[in-house]
Amino acid sequence: MRLRSVLSLAKLAGGLDAGRYYTDAVARGREDYYAGAGEAKGRWAGVGSGWLALSGEVEEGDFGQLMRGLGPRDGRPLRQSQGPGDTAGFDVTFSAPKSVSVLYGVGDEETVAAVREAHDVAVGQALGYLEREAAYTRRGKAGRLRVKADGLVIATFRHRTSRAGDPQLHTHAVVANTARADGRWSALDARGLYRQQKTAGYLYKAALRYELSRSLGVSWGPVEKGSAEITGVPTGVLEHFSRRRREIVEYLAEEGRCSPAAAEIAALETRKRKDYAVPVDRMRERWRARAAEHGLSARALGRVRDRPWRERIPIDLHLAAPTVAGVTGVTREHASFDRRDAIRAWCEQHAQGATVERIEELTDRWLASRYTVKLSDDDGLRGARYSTPQMLRAETELLTDARERTTTAVAVADASAVDAALAERPELTSEQQYLVRALTTAGDGVHVVRAPAGTGKTYALEAAHAAWKHSGLRTQGCALSARAARELQEQTAIPSQTIHQLRADISQYVDTPPDVLIVDEAGMVGTRDLHALSSHAREHRIKLVLVGDDRQLPEIEAGGAYHALARQQGALQLSEVKRQREAWDREAVTQLRDGDRDAWATAYREHDRIVSEPTAGRLRARLVADWWQTSKDGSDTVMIAHRRADVADLNQRARRRMRDQGRLGPVEIHTPQRSFAQGDQVICRRNERQFDLVNGTRGEVTALDAPTGRLTITDPNGHEHNVDRRYLDAGHLDHAYATTAHALQGATVDHALVLGSEDLYQQWGYTALSRHRHSARFYLHADAQDIRPLPGLERDYDPAAEHLNNLLSRGRGKALALDERVGPNDRHPAPRTESELTAAREAEQRAQRPRRELPQSDLGP
């Protein structure tokens, strides 16, 4: 598990000791601070502090009064106390990237001063953003009216070390739970802090990069999720000085948790008092020695910071705007966005950093330019929503094409061929027969097929393919993954390839395009891909058949198109589940898909299919023991987990059991990541045409040659694949005792053992719990002490079921940008007629031509 140094936000409980940690850690004098006996004294910040006559250094008495909700000077109540559950304030912690903290810890006096100054400036700018965007209180009945406050009351405490004794530059900005509006003080509406938390962290990091680039001339590596490390600081140094992170990661692993809330708990549970007995000079000497051991000597440090500084040319709006608006920009994963998303995107455009003022200026100019479309206004709780002309055009054309291609007599099979195909397959159910007739005889240009897991879609598609083939019509299939494309081809005889390959090879169909194009697992296909396939199908009069399920895993990229098309066109529906052998199981899985989690949980609890343990270790041991019992007779049993770290842990445990039980051969091939022996269950993680392997192929190691590093994999169909050392060393082969739900999308196994975790959601849960023929079990870390029933429900209360219901209640379905539109108030109406679509395409082509200058008037204010 990798923890990034992002902005954290924690609620501070009220009471007499509220805030004591911050004041107790402070040195009592300048000499004490520089001797290492404590941290720097706090400083007041925020406009709200001025209204309370608080400025300069934080005094313990003033801070204590404020944390109790009282005026520091006169003791008058500033907010209504909530009793034992009172919230004193919020700790917003700005943590520097580890490479910055290392420079701060091992650098000379000039470097230390420059890093400290840059950090303080960046924190100040990010707090200014929070104050502008998150300073609100509530008024009116039940606090429903949200009112802009006059600022925030903030006490900042800069710390230099982690609790593990490593250099870790960070500032605790304690935001008091009080705000002034209309001349009255009341509690802060903290929802704004939580909404802006992530964006403020991005802005802090961007401002920090700018200040350090300017003052020390450092360069930066790639910006990932808002953060970057200084170029030239060895990875080994970063890992060595991350002991505190390792402590938290190990605690989370032991507890089987991963959420931000769990990380905060882990930080509290593993914290130990900082040791201020070691003078700071001696502490820095130790840090420098340790850094040198891992490759960062004084000379290497000089190379890191002594790069010639040149004032970078500021990023121009017209140069970067197309990238931010493009397929890799702000609409890559979601079709619509708000100002926060746009700010974060512009932060990532500035590898060398920029001031918060500059990023906000670029963002607002970009949002007012022709590169964006405003969809809805700020309603006071949720910010205004935007999209891009390209995204809206793709969505509009996709829906318009489907609507206009209804009953266009495309790919209509001969009635006799349809009758023959159905007669040859008497085991088809009535709804499968109806689906085959509808697909082959209706003549619509676009068909949407909604097929829940285990309803026999591939068998129905095989019959439809036979009818089309005997009518002289050609069928082509495609899917997002190579595994899904191969399974579609093997089970239906429809020639299939990945969508990526199809789009790359699409020109080959100019002369002989197929008559029918089937897109399998279409619910996972992003809008841009569906739009490209739809445009190609319209141009060549190809019937487009979208087969999927919008209740299973959602799109990774911007999506919502499959669901919208099903809503607009109407979907051909398969509903009779055939995969599960037991009737009660089929019914329960259907209930889970339909959102009736209580009914599903009741059925699974009655059949002992929900397993809970009070600790993560015991839970995983139980899961692996059950896996062994169900798999040792040759049954296809797979453990399924959401996080890759959990998958790796379960694989290690299972392989150890295989070794202990003599199920693995004595000779092993070792790679940097893992080892393989004859008998190992494996899964391929990368396509390799040389070995006829596709990503997601599962099989067993049936032979190996240790000296050459070659092994043979036999897949479930009995096909053998020889794999060489290069493929293994690259980490493309993994153990397959446990895997993710994404790797099993569309697959069927005998038994599925599903590990619950805090980051589950509806679509993932249904996908994982619908893979099995014979049985599925859900394993849950649930301690009755941690979950309390509502009053009156104690007698029949099941903490595991309650926890499970909470986990599976969250959805991640995506929506079109068009669904956010507000109609007549749109600044840029989406093109709808053919002439408007043509004009929009021509305008976009002109916009993509290279040019040196763009008039300011074209970019908005």
Side-chain angles (χ1 to χ4, degrees):
M1 182 184 299
R2 178 176 175 82
L3 295 180
R4 290 191 175 274
S5 50
V6 296
L7 181 69
S8 66
L9 196 160
K11 185 185 294 185
L12 300 178
L16 294 177
D17 293 330
R20 287 288 300 274
Y21 162 72
Y22 307 98
T23 53
D24 284 352
V26 168
R28 299 306 168 188
R30 182 174 296 273
E31 295 78 11
D32 288 338
Y33 174 73
Y34 283 104
E39 301 287 4
K41 294 202 70 172
R43 306 283 301 180
W44 291 107
V47 174
S49 298
W51 290 107
L52 293 174
L54 298 172
S55 61
E57 293 185 344
V58 175
E59 298 297 335
E60 184 175 354
D62 293 341
F63 185 67
Q65 284 282 88
L66 184 64
M67 290 293 96
R68 290 188 286 274
L70 305 175
R73 298 287 184 262
D74 53 18
R76 73 182 189 280
L78 299 177
R79 56 179 170 79
Q80 184 176 354
S81 175
Q82 301 298 317
D86 188 46
T87 299
F90 305 87
D91 182 349
V92 183
T93 304
F94 297 88
S95 296
K98 181 54 68 175
S99 57
V100 176
S101 291
V102 168
L103 248 65
Y104 181 69
V106 306
D108 55 24
E109 290 187 9
E110 179 187 0
T111 300
V112 171
V115 173
R116 183 170 56 236
E117 174 66 18
H119 171 75
D120 288 346
V121 169
V123 169
Q125 291 185 15
L127 285 176
Y129 169 82
L130 275 180
E131 191 160 47
R132 291 190 296 276
E133 300 295 329
Y136 285 88
T137 185
R138 302 193 206 184
R139 295 284 187 268
K141 186 176 181 180
R144 294 176 181 174
L145 181 62
R146 198 161 179 255
V147 180
K148 190 74 175 73
D150 296 333
L152 298 175
V153 183
I154 309 171
T156 62
F157 301 87
R158 183 188 348 104
H159 292 180
R160 58 194 169 193
T161 63
S162 72
R163 290 182 177 272
D166 291 330
Q168 183 56 60
L169 180 61
H170 60 285
T171 290
H172 296 276
V174 179
V175 180
N177 184 23
T178 187
R180 179 181 181 271
D182 304 327
R184 291 192 295 123
W185 290 90
S186 55
L188 182 70
D189 183 355
R191 291 176 296 177
L193 287 177
Y194 287 98
R195 277 180 52 81
Q196 298 295 341
Q197 171 187 359
K198 183 177 180 180
T199 307
Y202 273 59
L203 287 168
Y204 158 72
K205 298 290 179 59
L208 181 64
R209 291 196 299 275
Y210 174 79
E211 293 296 326
L212 288 176
S213 298
R214 183 178 59 82
S215 61
L216 294 179
V218 298
S219 294
W220 301 86
V223 182
E224 299 179 5
K225 296 185 178 179
S227 188
E229 299 290 355
I230 296 173
T231 302
V233 179
T235 302
V237 173
L238 304 183
E239 293 295 333
H240 176 72
F241 284 116
S242 298
R243 290 182 299 179
R244 180 64 179 140
R245 179 183 67 85
R246 289 195 295 273
E247 290 174 354
I248 296 174
V249 168
E250 290 170 1
Y251 180 89
L252 289 172
E254 290 176 2
E255 292 295 312
R257 302 183 186 277
C258 66
S259 68
E264 291 177 9
I265 294 173
L268 291 173
E269 292 294 327
T270 59
R271 69 181 181 182
K272 49 183 175 286
R273 190 173 183 85
K274 292 182 181 179
D275 183 6
Y276 294 114
V278 181
V280 68
D281 289 342
R282 188 181 305 170
M283 189 163 51
R284 291 191 186 278
E285 287 177 5
R286 292 178 181 176
W287 288 340
R288 287 166 183 152
R290 289 162 56 191
E293 290 175 1
H294 290 79
L296 189 63
S297 62
R299 179 176 297 181
L301 184 62
R303 291 194 297 268
V304 167
R305 62 150 292 184
D306 288 341
R307 300 169 186 267
W309 162 254
R310 295 195 307 269
E311 187 69 36
R312 269 76 169 182
I313 299 174
I315 293 179
D316 254 349
L317 179 66
H318 74 274
L319 294 177
T323 300
V324 178
V327 296
T328 61
V330 72
T331 59
R332 180 179 181 273
E333 296 183 2
H334 297 278
S336 65
F337 55 90
D338 61 16
R339 186 173 183 264
R340 297 172 303 159
D341 300 314
I343 286 175
R344 294 195 293 269
W346 278 100
C347 285
E348 296 202 321
Q349 288 295 306
H350 291 79
Q352 298 302 315
T355 65
V356 170
E357 180 183 14
R358 174 63 176 166
I359 290 174
E360 286 198 84
E361 175 203 357
L362 285 172
T363 299
D364 290 334
R365 289 175 60 198
W366 183 73
L367 290 175
S369 76
R370 61 182 174 81
Y371 288 102
T372 69
V373 179
K374 189 174 184 181
L375 304 173
S376 64
D377 294 323
D378 188 345
D379 63 4
L381 290 175
R382 197 175 81 145
R385 303 295 296 177
Y386 300 84
S387 190
T388 65
Q390 301 97 313
M391 192 78 248
L392 286 168
R393 186 175 65 253
E395 293 179 353
T396 302
E397 288 182 345
L398 182 58
L399 295 178
T400 301
D401 284 354
R403 185 169 56 246
E404 293 181 350
R405 298 189 69 205
T406 303
T407 63
T408 50
V410 179
V412 177
D414 295 336
S416 59
V418 177
D419 291 340
L422 295 177
E424 293 169 358
R425 297 162 179 81
E427 61 274 23
L428 287 171
T429 64
S430 58
E431 67 175 8
Q432 287 175 320
Q433 293 180 31
Y434 176 81
L435 173 62
V436 172
R437 289 192 182 278
L439 288 177
T440 56
T441 63
D444 289 357
V446 178
H447 276 293
V448 179
V449 178
R450 182 180 280 125
T455 52
K457 64 170 183 178
T458 51
Y459 196 39
L461 290 177
E462 188 270 337
H465 170 54
W468 279 315
K469 182 177 181 179
H470 287 96
S471 301
L473 301 172
R474 295 178 58 248
T475 308
Q476 169 74 34
C478 64
L480 267 183
S481 69
R483 178 194 55 79
R486 170 170 286 188
E487 289 182 356
L488 178 64
Q489 179 168 313
E490 291 177 346
Q491 296 175 19
T492 66
I494 298 172
S496 302
Q497 59 188 144
T498 66
I499 292 175
H500 177 75
Q501 292 171 331
L502 179 61
R503 291 190 61 180
D505 300 340
I506 216 161
S507 59
Q508 69 178 304
Y509 300 120
V510 172
D511 297 326
T512 57
D515 299 286
V516 181
L517 178 59
I518 295 177
V519 183
D520 196 16
E521 297 182 358
M524 294 181 66
V525 181
T527 298
R528 291 184 178 92
D529 278 334
L530 286 183
H531 171 245
L533 297 176
S534 176
S535 298
H536 175 68
R538 179 184 181 120
E539 181 180 356
H540 296 286
R541 279 186 57 79
I542 300 171
K543 178 190 289 290
L544 183 64
V545 181
L546 306 177
V547 184
D549 183 13
D550 46 11
R551 305 290 179 86
Q552 295 190 56
L553 295 173
E555 309 91 334
I556 296 174
E557 298 184 346
Y562 175 84
H563 179 77
L565 285 167
R567 183 177 58 208
Q568 173 184 282
Q569 302 295 110
L572 296 169
Q573 180 86 29
L574 290 176
S575 59
E576 184 179 346
V577 177
K578 303 168 71 66
R579 177 177 291 162
Q580 284 74 43
R581 299 295 173 85
E582 299 288 340
W584 73 265
D585 201 359
R586 294 194 295 270
E587 182 180 1
V589 169
T590 299
Q591 290 167 332
L592 180 62
R593 181 183 182 277
D594 293 339
D596 192 348
R597 295 176 299 276
D598 289 335
W600 172 85
T602 297
Y604 264 55
R605 185 170 60 248
E606 289 175 351
H607 288 83
D608 295 325
R609 299 289 181 84
I610 297 178
V611 179
S612 63
E613 294 286 353
T615 68
R618 287 174 55 180
L619 183 70
R620 296 181 188 208
R622 172 80 176 273
L623 194 162
V624 173
D626 290 348
W627 166 83
W628 174 252
Q629 289 299 320
T630 54
S631 64
K632 65 181 181 180
D633 63 354
S635 296
D636 186 9
T637 304
V638 177
M639 297 178 284
I640 306 174
H642 185 263
R643 299 190 298 263
R644 292 189 181 277
D646 292 337
V647 169
D649 178 65
L650 293 174
N651 271 325
Q652 290 177 2
R653 291 170 182 259
R655 192 171 189 274
R656 193 179 306 123
R657 179 66 68 96
M658 291 280 287
R659 171 65 68 197
D660 293 342
Q661 297 296 325
R663 294 285 292 271
L664 299 181
V667 179
E668 292 193 342
I669 294 178
H670 302 285
T671 74
Q673 296 85 13
R674 52 192 68 89
S675 299
F676 300 99
Q678 188 172 349
D680 261 323
Q681 300 298 311
V682 294
I683 184 170
C684 299
R685 296 297 188 187
R686 187 179 180 87
N687 299 329
E688 182 57 72
R689 293 186 180 182
Q690 176 184 352
F691 308 129
D692 192 28
L693 289 173
V694 298
N695 186 5
T697 296
R698 295 168 61 225
E700 180 181 338
V701 177
T702 51
L704 59 80
D705 183 3
T708 63
R710 287 180 169 271
L711 56 79
T712 301
I713 301 170
T714 303
D715 66 26
N717 296 321
H719 300 145
E720 293 187 349
H721 310 267
N722 294 314
V723 179
D724 63 11
R725 167 67 72 176
R726 175 181 54 85
Y727 191 86
L728 298 179
D729 285 345
H732 300 327
L733 192 68
D734 197 358
H735 298 121
Y737 309 107
T739 188
T740 64
H742 280 82
L744 285 180
Q745 170 87 342
T748 301
V749 299
D750 292 330
H751 304 278
L753 310 181
V754 182
L755 177 65
S757 62
E758 294 170 305
D759 44 6
L760 297 193
Y761 53 97
Q762 290 175 4
Q763 295 88 346
W764 190 94
Y766 169 63
T767 302
L769 289 160
S770 60
R771 300 300 95 202
H772 63 286
R773 297 185 188 92
H774 299 295
S775 72
R777 291 193 178 196
F778 194 92
Y779 293 78
L780 191 64
H781 175 197
D783 190 340
Q785 298 299 318
D786 297 333
I787 308 171
R788 300 278 191 253
L790 294 174
L793 300 179
E794 292 87 351
R795 187 176 65 177
D796 298 324
Y797 182 71
D798 185 338
E802 177 68 17
H803 189 30
L804 175 62
N805 189 61
N806 292 335
L807 289 179
L808 298 180
S809 65
R810 301 166 292 190
R812 290 190 185 177
K814 297 188 177 181
L816 297 181
L818 289 171
D819 293 337
E820 300 277 358
R821 296 184 70 88
V822 295
N825 294 327
D826 295 337
R827 294 185 295 116
H828 305 282
R832 294 187 180 276
T833 67
E834 182 61 32
S835 61
E836 288 175 331
L837 290 171
T838 301
R841 279 193 290 265
E842 292 174 350
E844 181 57 29
Q845 291 171 357
R846 289 195 299 272
Q848 292 177 348
R849 294 172 187 162
R851 52 182 172 177
R852 298 183 64 83
E853 295 182 352
L854 193 65
Q856 180 71 20
S857 59
D858 288 348
L859 298 175

